[in-house]
Amino acid sequence: MLKYEGGRYFRQKIICATLAGKSVKLSNVRLEEENVGLADHEVHFLRLMETVTNGCVVQINHTGTQLRYKPGVIMGGSHTFDCGLDRSIGYFLEGLVCLAPFAKKPFNITLTGITNDDKDISVDMFRTVTLPLLKYFGIEEDLELKINRRGAAPKGGGEILFRCPVVRTLKPCSLVEPGKMVKIRGIVYSTRISPSIGNRVVDTAKEILVGFTPNVYIYTDNYSKKEAGLSPGYAVTLVAESDSGCVLSAEYCAKPQQLPEDVGKQAAHLLLQEVLQGGCVDSSNQFLVVLFMALCPEDLSSIKVGKLSPYTIEMLRHLRDFFGIKFKVDPDPDTKTVQLSCLGVGFINYSKAGI
């Protein structure tokens, strides 16, 4: 059993424990903070693990400051799960996509809650950037995220359908040629507000981005009635694609009383920061690629990134703890990028039906 103090990077520990088949114990979770113990969204995440696995054992003490987690077998299959309103659906999707390819049966899960907020990856970025990254590891067919209803914070009301196939093994990945960014695409979603708000966001963002490349197209997606969820809101997701096929993304969710022009400006600047950092994967999706590299067959996988995010750095530490794997880190002072390389642990999905 691996033992940790505190509750930082909670999901990473639960994900790695589930994949490695190792129990984990967390002690003194937020003992010194105002809100002591596990947060509501963390308890919801544990309930999700109980839903999609078989044999999972969760033990939480009465104060929520201590957790024992014994992983079960990832089953997959069809489920419906309410993510609550503490964190968005993206918080749970990031965990599911790490586990879904290694289930016994393909995932077909409906998640309800908040689809876009200012804390977690949106369903738009997950659909347009995160899922396409899986093709580099041999996961492509029958992979889908469908947005049935939008749900802005705080009341949510959104619903998505996530489908993911299962694989026996991944294939090694090589993503080391960032290329030159040649086009930018984007989406501005809005619910229960005037469609003109989205147009103002588009105009401002485009005015900034055309100075980088003339090939810019951002479309608006306005929802109303039942499909608009329970709260008004809007956000923008932007994606820059290179001539080598790499995509870098950024997004920004409007805050109360914020002008649409400021929303478009913030999103454009965030995307340009990602592009200027270089690399083949943006900071929001680094951790997933690093995890799958570690689970690949015993062959070399490499990836070039701009600046390692703190979340990715912690993932590297957890991969060392749970799988005994270490990455080679080669900084490039000329481009200010970092190349990560490793030999995979040869993870095999023995649960896959038919094996």
Side-chain angles (χ1 to χ4, degrees), residues 3 31 41 58 95 239-240 318 346 355:
K3 299 179 181 179
L31 199 59
H41 60 272
V58 176
V239 180
H318 286 137
I355 294 180

Side-chain angles (χ1 to χ4, degrees), residues 246-267:
C246 293
V247 291
L248 302 176
S249 61
E251 58 187 359
Y252 190 83
C253 185
K255 295 178 173 58
Q257 310 303 320
Q258 191 171 24
L259 291 174
E261 288 77 12
D262 291 337
V263 173
K265 189 180 195 179
Q266 288 283 355

Side-chain angles (χ1 to χ4, degrees), residues 34-51:
E34 182 178 350
N35 297 318
V36 177
L38 293 171
D40 288 345
H41 60 272
E42 292 169 336
V43 175
H44 267 83
F45 190 79
L46 291 170
R47 298 294 173 257
L48 178 61
M49 293 299 101
E50 291 178 326
T51 300

Side-chain angles (χ1 to χ4, degrees), residues 130-180:
T130 305
L131 290 186
L133 282 172
L134 301 191
K135 69 182 180 183
Y136 294 104
F137 298 95
I139 307 169
E140 195 166 3
E141 294 183 5
D142 301 320
L143 188 63
E144 178 189 12
L145 185 138
K146 181 180 179 183
I147 303 172
N148 295 329
R149 294 197 304 269
R150 291 281 183 175
K155 295 182 180 180
E159 179 184 289
I160 65 98
L161 173 65
F162 173 50
R163 291 193 180 102
C164 183
V166 294
V167 295
R168 187 171 187 269
T169 60
L170 301 175
K171 72 176 187 180
C173 167
S174 179
L175 265 174
V176 294
E177 296 294 337
K180 179 183 178 182

Side-chain angles (χ1 to χ4, degrees), residues 54-345:
N54 183 30
C56 166
V57 178
V58 176
Q59 296 177 329
I60 305 173
N61 68 351
H62 68 283
T63 61
T65 57
Q66 182 171 298
L67 164 71
R68 290 175 181 266
Y69 175 77
K70 179 183 177 182
V73 177
I74 308 168
M75 298 301 293
S78 298
H79 302 279
T80 298
F81 185 81
D82 180 5
C83 298
L85 300 176
D86 197 30
R87 295 292 286 266
S88 76
I89 290 173
Y91 176 88
F92 300 88
L93 279 173
E94 282 187 331
L96 283 178
V97 74
C98 296
L99 305 176
F102 312 108
K104 183 175 182 180
K105 299 177 182 178
F107 262 73
N108 189 340
I109 185 167
T110 298
L111 301 178
T112 59
I114 296 170
T115 56
N116 303 72
D117 68 4
D118 58 358
K119 298 178 184 176
D120 303 300
I121 183 174
S122 73
V123 293
D124 298 288
M125 183 185 288
F126 190 86
R127 179 177 61 180
T128 57
V129 180
T130 305
L131 290 186
L133 282 172
L134 301 191
K135 69 182 180 183
Y136 294 104
F137 298 95
I139 307 169
E140 195 166 3
E141 294 183 5
D142 301 320
L143 188 63
E144 178 189 12
L145 185 138
K146 181 180 179 183
I147 303 172
N148 295 329
R149 294 197 304 269
R150 291 281 183 175
K155 295 182 180 180
E159 179 184 289
I160 65 98
L161 173 65
F162 173 50
R163 291 193 180 102
C164 183
V166 294
V167 295
R168 187 171 187 269
T169 60
L170 301 175
K171 72 176 187 180
C173 167
S174 179
L175 265 174
V176 294
E177 296 294 337
K180 179 183 178 182
M181 292 298 163
V182 293
K183 66 179 180 180
I184 294 174
R185 297 292 182 264
I187 176 174
V188 178
Y189 100 90
S190 57
T191 58
R192 299 188 179 278
I193 62 173
S194 169
S196 64
I197 298 291
N199 295 330
R200 290 165 63 186
V201 175
V202 170
D203 292 342
T204 305
K206 191 171 182 179
E207 185 178 348
I208 296 171
L209 295 172
V210 291
F212 180 75
T213 175
N215 191 352
V216 179
Y217 180 72
I218 307 169
Y219 72 94
T220 58
D221 196 6
N222 185 263
Y223 286 74
S224 60
K225 298 182 180 179
K226 192 167 62 173
E227 295 179 348
L230 303 176
S231 295
Y234 64 102
V236 54
T237 301
L238 300 172
V239 180
E241 185 174 337
S242 75
D243 52 10
S244 64
C246 293
V247 291
L248 302 176
S249 61
E251 58 187 359
Y252 190 83
C253 185
K255 295 178 173 58
Q257 310 303 320
Q258 191 171 24
L259 291 174
E261 288 77 12
D262 291 337
V263 173
K265 189 180 195 179
Q266 288 283 355
H269 287 163
L270 288 172
L271 179 67
L272 292 179
Q273 285 177 20
E274 289 285 353
V275 173
L276 290 175
Q277 285 180 9
C280 300
V281 181
D282 57 55
S283 53
S284 297
N285 291 286
Q286 289 174 7
F287 84 97
L288 177 63
V289 176
V290 165
L291 170 64
F292 279 10
M293 285 170 63
L295 299 176
C296 278
E298 297 177 18
D299 201 350
L300 182 66
S301 288
S302 299
I303 182 176
K304 184 170 287 188
V305 299
K307 181 180 179 182
L308 282 172
S309 70
Y311 197 77
T312 304
I313 293 171
E314 199 63 30
M315 175 60 86
L316 294 173
R317 292 177 178 145
H318 286 137
L319 292 173
R320 176 198 60 198
D321 293 348
F322 285 91
F323 295 97
I325 189 170
K326 294 183 179 180
F327 281 69
K328 182 181 179 183
V329 182
D330 292 318
D332 186 337
D334 295 329
T335 61
K336 295 183 180 180
T337 57
V338 178
Q339 183 161 317
L340 299 172
S341 305
C342 75
L343 291 176
V345 297

